[in-house]
C-alpha cells in the first residue's frame, strides 16, 4: 500500500464500493480510500480533526464514492462524505428517544435502498452488564432518508438474552442486504437468517452453516462475569465471530474471526471465509484458517478474487491489499 495522504491502521470497518476501490475506517486513524490493484491511497479523512467539530465515528458504510455514510455516535447523526468533492456534503440527525443510544465503537451500520439500519443500545446499560442484550429489545433501528425512526426489528438470540452462564461480550454477529432480503448471522445459532424486507420480521428462512474442527461456534461460557481488567486479552475464551457478510446474485460469503483459545503466550486471531452457492445450495470453506495479521480484514469480492485489507501493523511494518481465491 502506498500512503501519501495520511497514515491508516487498525481497520474497524471496510466497504468494497466497486471492483477496484476500498473504503476503510478506523476509530484509531480515520477514513482512507484505496485502489485495490495498485495499493494507491486515493483519499484520507480524519473526522476527529473536522474544523467545525470533532466527529466520533462509530461505523461507516458506502454505496458508492459519492455517498460514504459515517455514523456519529455522540451526536446521533449520519454524516455523508463525497469523495469527488472531497468534503462532507450532508448531516442527517437520527430521531432517538432518551432511553436509546448508539454504540460509540464497533456498532453495526448499513445503508440499503435509502434506509439506514443502525444497531441500537439501551442507554445507561453498558455492554459489560449481563442484562445488556435483554434490555436492548429489538436492537436494529430502521430509519428513513431523513433520519426518522420507522421501526425496530430483530431481538438478540436467546443465547445472549437468557444465557446459561457468563460469556465475553463481543459483536459476534453481522448483517447485509441483497435483493430485498436481509442476511444476518449469529454463529452460535449455526444458521444464516434470511428475512424478507417486506415481511413482519417475525419469521425467517434458515441456511445451515457447516461445522469445522478448527472453529468453535457455540457460545463459550466463563465462570464469572467478564471484567476486562481481570482477564488479559490473550487468555480470553471467545467463540467465533462473523466479521463480515457479503452477498451477490450468486454467492453468500461469511468471514469469521476466530480467537485462539488454546495458546496463551500472546494474542492470536485467525480469519476464514465460507462461500455459499445460492443456486446449488452448497458450501465451500477453507481447509484451515489463516492468521489475521498475515491476511487482514475481509472486504468483499472483486471478480473471482477475495479482497483483504492487511493494515493492522502489528507483526510487520508494511501494509498490503491481498487478493485470494477459493479453489
Amino acid at each position: 500500500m502506498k500512503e501519501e495522504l495520511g497514515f491508516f491502521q487498525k481497520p474497524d470497518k471496510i466497504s468494497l464500493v466497486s471492483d477496484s476501490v476500498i473504503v476503510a475506517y478506523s476509530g484509531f486513524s480515520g477514513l482512507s480510500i484505496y485502489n485495490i490493484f495498485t495499493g494507491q491511497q486515493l483519499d484520507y479523512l480524519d473526522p476527529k480533526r473536522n474544523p467545525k467539530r470533532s466527529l466520533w465515528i462509530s461505523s461507516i458504510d458506502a454505496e458508492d464514492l459519492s455517498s460514504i455514510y459515517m455514523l456519529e455516535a455522540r451526536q446521533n447523526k449520519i454524516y455523508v462524505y463525497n469523495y469527488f468533492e472531497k468534503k462532507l456534503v450532508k448531516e442527517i440527525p437520527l430521531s432517538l428517544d432518551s432511553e436509546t443510544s448508539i454504540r460509540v465503537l464497533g456498532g453495526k451500520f448499513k445503508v440499503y435502498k435509502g434506509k439506514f439500519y443502525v444497531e441500537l443500545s439501551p442507554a445507561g446499560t453498558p455492554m459489560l452488564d449481563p442484562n445488556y442484550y435483554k434490555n436492548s429489545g429489538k436492537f436494529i433501528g430502521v430509519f428513513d432518508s431523513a433520519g426518522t425512526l420507522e421501526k425496530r426489528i430483530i431481538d438478540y438470540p436467546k443465547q445472549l438474552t437468557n444465557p446459561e452462564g457468563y460469556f465475553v461480550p463481543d459483536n459476534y454477529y453481522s448483517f447485509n442486504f441483497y435483493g430485498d432480503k436481509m442476511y444476518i448471522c449469529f454463529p452460535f445459532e449455526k444458521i444464516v437468517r434470511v428475512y424478507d424486507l417486506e415481511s413482519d420480521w417475525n419469521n425467517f428462512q434458515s441456511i445451515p452453516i457447516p461445522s469445522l474442527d478448527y472453529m468453535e461456534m457455540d457460545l463459550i461460557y466463563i465462570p464469572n462475569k467478564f471484567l476486562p481488567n481481570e482477564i488479559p486479552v490473550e487468555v480470553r475464551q471467545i467463540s467465533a465471530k462473523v466479521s463480515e457478510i457479503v452477498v451477490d446474485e450468486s454467492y453468500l460469503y461469511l468471514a469469521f474471526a476466530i480467537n485462539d483459545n488454546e495458546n496463551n503466550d500472546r494474542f492470536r486471531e485467525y480469519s476464514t471465509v465460507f462461500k455459499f452457492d445460492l443456486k446449488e445450495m452448497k458450501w465451500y470453506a477453507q481447509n484451515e484458517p489463516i492468521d489475521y495479521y498475515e491476511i487482514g480484514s475481509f472486504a468483499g469480492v472483486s471478480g473471482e478474487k477475495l479482497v483483504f485489507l492487511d493494515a493492522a501493523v502489528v507483526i510487520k511494518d508494511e501494509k498490503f491489499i491481498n487478493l485470494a481465491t477459493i479453489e
Side-chain angles (χ1 to χ4, degrees):
M1 291 163 61
K2 308 174 185 70
E3 291 181 319
E4 299 175 351
L5 304 176
F7 183 77
F8 181 85
Q9 67 169 338
K10 298 182 179 179
D12 294 315
K13 175 63 180 173
I14 305 170
S15 291
L16 186 63
V17 299
S18 72
D19 285 343
S20 61
V21 178
I22 283 177
V23 177
Y25 177 73
S26 163
F28 183 83
S29 53
L31 183 80
S32 196
I33 302 175
Y34 301 93
N35 181 296
I36 67 173
F37 298 114
T38 67
Q40 189 69 42
Q41 188 178 41
L42 305 176
D43 198 7
Y44 179 79
L45 173 70
D46 185 352
K48 293 181 182 178
R49 298 191 180 189
N50 183 56
K52 293 183 179 180
R53 178 175 181 175
S54 176
L55 304 180
W56 193 270
I57 304 302
S58 172
S59 185
I60 65 125
D61 196 35
E63 293 183 325
D64 54 57
L65 289 174
S66 64
S67 298
I68 300 172
Y69 298 91
M70 303 188 296
L71 180 64
E72 216 282 350
R74 293 188 301 186
Q75 300 179 69
N76 296 335
K77 289 183 177 181
I78 293 171
Y79 284 81
V80 185
Y81 180 75
N82 188 301
Y83 160 76
F84 302 105
E85 297 182 28
K86 297 293 189 291
K87 66 179 182 180
L88 297 171
V89 295
K90 187 185 298 185
E91 56 182 87
I92 304 165
L94 299 177
S95 59
L96 291 180
D97 58 49
S98 60
E99 297 180 352
T100 306
S101 63
I102 295 171
R103 286 183 57 186
V104 174
L105 292 173
K108 303 294 185 180
F109 168 55
K110 296 295 296 183
V111 183
Y112 186 70
K113 292 194 172 180
K115 297 187 186 295
F116 305 118
Y117 294 79
V118 181
E119 178 183 340
L120 302 177
S121 298
T125 306
M127 196 171 182
L128 293 180
D129 190 310
N131 292 315
Y132 172 85
Y133 296 100
K134 183 180 293 184
N135 292 350
S136 293
K138 295 191 181 301
F139 68 95
I140 296 179
V142 183
F143 298 82
D144 66 16
S145 59
T148 301
L149 179 64
E150 293 186 341
K151 56 191 168 186
R152 296 179 64 144
I153 58 174
I154 305 178
D155 293 294
Y156 283 110
K158 65 181 187 309
Q159 290 95 327
L160 299 178
T161 58
N162 294 285
E164 298 177 3
Y166 298 106
F167 58 90
V168 178
D170 213 316
N171 224 342
Y172 288 97
Y173 81 102
S174 193
F175 67 90
N176 213 330
F177 300 89
Y178 187 79
D180 291 330
K181 296 182 183 296
M182 172 192 272
Y183 296 79
I184 183 169
C185 180
F186 300 89
F188 41 77
E189 290 190 313
K190 301 177 183 177
I191 60 170
V192 178
R193 301 185 189 185
V194 185
Y195 288 93
D196 189 324
L197 298 191
E198 300 302 320
S199 71
D200 58 10
W201 297 92
N202 292 322
N203 299 294
F204 54 84
Q205 295 177 308
S206 298
I207 301 175
I209 303 172
S211 297
L212 295 180
D213 292 339
Y214 62 70
M215 186 170 67
E216 178 59 63
M217 287 196 291
D218 288 328
L219 199 60
I220 298 174
Y221 294 107
I222 57 179
N224 303 300
K225 176 184 174 181
F226 173 68
L227 297 172
N229 294 335
E230 295 184 3
I231 306 178
V233 64
E234 63 269 15
V235 300
R236 293 175 188 174
Q237 299 291 297
I238 307 174
S239 61
K241 299 172 289 184
V242 179
S243 56
E244 188 61 84
I245 294 179
V246 174
V247 193
D248 60 29
E249 63 181 5
S250 300
Y251 299 105
L252 163 71
Y253 298 87
L254 285 183
F256 291 93
I258 306 168
N259 193 63
D260 187 340
N261 294 314
E262 297 181 1
N263 302 297
N264 300 328
D265 58 323
R266 65 179 176 90
F267 175 70
R268 288 185 176 90
E269 189 171 76
Y270 296 89
S271 176
T272 192
V273 176
F274 287 19
K275 174 182 176 180
F276 183 69
D277 189 313
L278 291 166
K279 296 176 182 176
E280 295 184 1
M281 304 297 286
K282 181 179 180 181
W283 284 101
Y284 301 85
Q286 293 173 212
N287 291 328
E288 58 185 28
I290 302 174
D291 192 312
Y292 168 81
Y293 297 112
E294 290 289 346
I295 195 166
S297 301
F298 179 64
V301 182
S302 175
E304 297 183 356
K305 301 286 187 180
L306 309 184
V307 183
F308 296 83
L309 179 64
D310 173 16
V313 193
V314 173
I315 61 173
K316 54 184 178 298
D317 294 331
E318 299 85 359
K319 307 174 194 177
F320 298 93
I321 293 170
N322 294 319
L323 305 179
T325 58
I326 294 180
E327 298 179 347

